[in-house]
Amino acid sequence: MGDEDVIRRRLLIDGDGTGDDRRLNVLLKTLIKWCNATDDSAEESKSTHDRMLAQLAQCEFAVTKSQLGADMMAAELESYENLSKILEDGIEIAKKNIEKSKADLAQAKTVRKNRIEYDVLAKVISEQPDRKETLDQLSTLKNELSSLEATKQQLESRLGLRKKQFHVLVTSIHQLQALLDEPEDTDTAIEDVEMKDTIES
């Protein structure tokens, strides 16, 4: 058997390596030896008895120490579990706060966008004339248009009259020219021209 096997076996037997197994073995051997001893003096017996009590106290101390260590580890484990639960609750609360903050941020962005659009529209609207002023201008333009239409009709009427007069004038000129070309019918043509002028006037 190699050294590594021996060390491994001792570790397996000894548990945590505190020497409890060796201590118990020594106590057992001493107890057997003390029980089998018949020729020991009372002083040696008392000494062996005291040594066994000391070894037993060491074993009890080791057991108490191990028990206290186990209790402490259990308490620490419970404390860690409580702390873990607190941290998990804190993480959940933080997640909820983050989600709420995201929603608030999205809402704030929407409000900001709406305000910007409102400001742009308000600026455009403020640059336009108000309804009353526009209606007044429209009424003025309608009146001007009506006046221009009436003026146009008057001018067209005058133009038609001038065209008729011009036509009569041209016709008269042609007739006079014809009279000048035919001297024998002068008196009759002049009378016809005078009669037309009288009728048209």
Side-chain angles (χ1 to χ4, degrees), residues 90-112:
I91 290 172
E92 290 297 324
I93 293 172
K95 286 181 179 179
K96 290 180 181 178
N97 290 335
I98 290 172
E99 293 297 326
K100 185 176 180 298
S101 299
K102 286 182 179 179
D104 293 341
L105 179 61
Q107 185 178 2
K109 285 182 178 179
T110 303
V111 170
R112 184 171 179 270

Side-chain angles (χ1 to χ4, degrees), residues 78-93:
E78 184 179 359
S79 175
Y80 289 149
E81 289 177 352
N82 293 333
L83 183 60
S84 175
K85 185 177 180 182
I86 292 172
L87 290 175
E88 288 177 357
D89 293 340
I91 290 172
E92 290 297 324
I93 293 172

Side-chain angles (χ1 to χ4, degrees), residues 38 42 101 114 148 154 191 193:
T38 56
S101 299
N114 292 339
L148 291 174
Q154 290 176 0
E191 289 178 0
V193 171

Side-chain angles (χ1 to χ4, degrees), residues 130-142:
D130 59 358
R131 183 182 180 88
K132 183 178 179 181
E133 183 180 351
T134 304
L135 291 176
D136 292 340
Q137 290 179 356
L138 183 61
S139 177
T140 303
L141 291 175
K142 284 182 178 180

Side-chain angles (χ1 to χ4, degrees), residues 5-68:
D5 294 333
V6 173
I7 293 172
R8 188 180 294 110
R9 180 173 292 181
R10 285 185 179 178
L11 288 174
L12 289 173
I13 294 173
D14 193 22
D16 293 334
T18 55
D20 294 340
D21 183 64
R22 179 178 172 279
R23 212 175 278 120
L24 290 173
N25 287 332
V26 171
L27 178 60
L28 181 60
K29 289 178 182 178
T30 306
L31 179 62
I32 292 172
K33 184 179 178 181
W34 181 66
C35 291
N36 292 330
T38 56
D39 54 353
D40 289 342
S41 62
E43 187 176 341
E44 288 180 359
S45 178
K46 181 74 168 67
S47 175
T48 304
H49 181 265
D50 291 340
R51 190 166 59 250
M52 286 191 299
L53 289 177
Q55 291 174 351
L56 184 61
Q58 287 180 354
C59 292
E60 289 177 352
F61 174 75
V63 170
T64 304
K65 182 179 177 183
S66 298
Q67 185 64 40
L68 291 174

